Amino acid sequence: MSASASGDGRIVSAAGDGRGASTTGDGLAASATDDGRIAPAGDGRAVPAGPPSSPHGGLRGPVSASAHRVGAVARRHWHVLRRSPHRFFDVLVWPVVDTLLYGSIGLFAAQAADAAGARSTGTAVAVFLLSGTVLWHLVHQTQISLATGFLEETWSRNLLGLLATPLRGWEYLAGIGLFALVRTALSTLAVAALAFAAYTFDVTTLGVGLLPVAALLLACGWAVALAVVGLVLRYGSGAEALAWGALSVVMPLSGVFYPVSTLPGVLRPVAEVLPTTHAFAAGRALASGQGMPWRELGLAAGGTAVLLVLALVFLGRMLAAFRRRGLVTRYS
């Protein structure tokens, strides 16, 4: 009598009469029926034979298998976050600290302007600071979540295991991007809730124009994160600091809380090239009660598309060099 392991990890032994006997995960004996099902002894239930796949039996199709792998990557990172409470520091604590800091500065400016007889100016400053804080954490949390999600694979020495699986590159990026959306949503909700509770600022007053602005900032965060992942693949752990520091350079040049016209003249051309500059300018226009800033949104959309393409090409080249040079041994 021979024995073999089925696709779902059960041990199946072939008996001489052509029927199989197996042991299920709960230790019950099972036998194969004539129609190819495994019938556990004792409870009369039957389960499909063969490798695990769709709930209805049989192998998953290509689309279903890809969706399953994308979901598995997202769940893997969610479980890491859920079981490590200290990881919520980046998700909730820093956003709350930023909201308190810039909200209090804005409130002080509004009170000082009111005392000087320029109430509208102070109110505008407070609104710009609070709306900028909410929008900044959209791009910041997206970039941090995607970049540190990949770094988690290097810290846990799981990178070689990923390369040995049928997981495609775009499936991994989609899964970790899905996780980044969840993490960004938690952070942004915390910022928006505190801004409303402490400073009576309702971000929904920006209107439907907030949706394209938010989408563009999310895409910018993804693009920066992809570039950071490429640098980590190529240069190793020495480039990990960019996961937290890359956007620190972009923030002052993007005019998060102020128009770029206030920057030194030599930096203004650089700021105008960044798509984040036009996205934040659109956010300020909405916060000040203007109409839909189509020009700024168009410039931001075009710049974001170019940035995403460049980031993907750069990541592809770095991944090819990573494989060609055998740099995976750094993490094995």
Side-chain angles (χ1 to χ4, degrees):
M1 182 173 62
S2 61
S4 62
S6 67
D8 55 359
R10 295 178 294 184
I11 305 300
V12 180
S13 60
D17 58 356
R19 295 166 61 86
S22 67
T23 302
T24 60
D26 56 3
L28 295 175
S31 59
T33 61
D34 292 336
D35 58 359
R37 296 179 298 168
I38 301 298
D43 60 0
R45 292 181 294 113
V47 296
S53 48
S54 67
H56 306 291
L59 294 175
R60 288 188 176 91
V63 176
S64 176
S66 292
H68 179 74
R69 290 191 287 268
V70 169
V73 172
R75 287 195 302 273
R76 174 256 195 276
H77 288 281
W78 169 249
H79 288 315
V80 170
L81 177 64
R82 184 171 59 89
R83 295 176 181 177
S84 305
H86 60 276
R87 296 177 187 269
F88 281 93
F89 192 90
D90 284 342
V91 180
L92 298 177
V93 177
W94 274 124
V96 168
V97 169
D98 284 349
T99 305
L100 290 173
L101 175 64
Y102 293 113
S104 298
I105 293 174
L107 183 60
F108 171 74
Q111 292 172 346
D114 189 22
R119 183 174 184 178
S120 60
T121 301
T123 302
V125 171
V127 169
F128 287 167
L129 285 172
L130 287 169
S131 61
T133 301
V134 175
L135 294 177
W136 169 250
H137 277 283
L138 278 173
V139 61
H140 181 258
Q141 284 295 328
T142 301
Q143 188 266 327
I144 288 289
S145 300
L146 197 87
T148 57
F150 171 77
L151 291 180
E152 180 64 37
E153 310 294 356
T154 66
W155 296 333
S156 60
R157 303 293 179 179
N158 191 42
L159 196 56
L160 182 60
L162 288 176
L163 294 175
T165 68
L167 185 69
R168 299 182 179 93
W170 71 266
E171 292 170 343
Y172 178 78
L173 291 178
I176 204 171
L178 180 61
F179 165 72
L181 281 178
V182 173
R183 204 175 123 153
T184 301
L186 291 175
S187 176
T188 305
L189 286 174
V191 170
L194 181 59
F196 181 76
Y199 306 105
T200 63
F201 173 74
D202 186 3
V203 69
T204 61
T205 57
L206 299 183
V208 296
L210 179 63
L211 297 178
V213 172
L216 289 169
L217 289 175
L218 289 173
C220 287
W222 282 331
V224 174
L226 294 177
V228 170
V229 170
L231 289 171
V232 172
L233 285 173
R234 178 61 182 84
Y235 298 105
S237 59
E240 289 181 4
L242 293 174
W244 293 271
L247 281 181
S248 298
V249 179
V250 176
M251 183 182 185
L253 295 176
S254 298
V256 177
F257 307 111
Y258 46 80
V260 294
S261 59
T262 61
L263 289 173
V266 69
L267 295 178
R268 291 174 196 169
V270 179
E272 291 292 344
V273 173
L274 300 175
T276 49
T277 297
H278 302 286
F280 284 113
R284 283 194 303 275
L286 294 171
S288 60
Q290 302 177 20
M292 187 71 76
W294 293 112
R295 178 179 179 276
E296 298 293 347
L297 288 175
L299 291 172
T304 301
V306 172
L307 186 63
L308 273 174
V309 170
L310 291 177
L312 287 170
V313 171
F314 176 75
L315 177 60
R317 292 177 65 88
M318 293 300 100
L319 181 59
F322 178 81
R323 288 171 169 166
R324 184 175 62 253
R325 301 187 181 195
L327 299 179
V328 70
T329 54
R330 292 171 176 168
Y331 309 106
S332 60

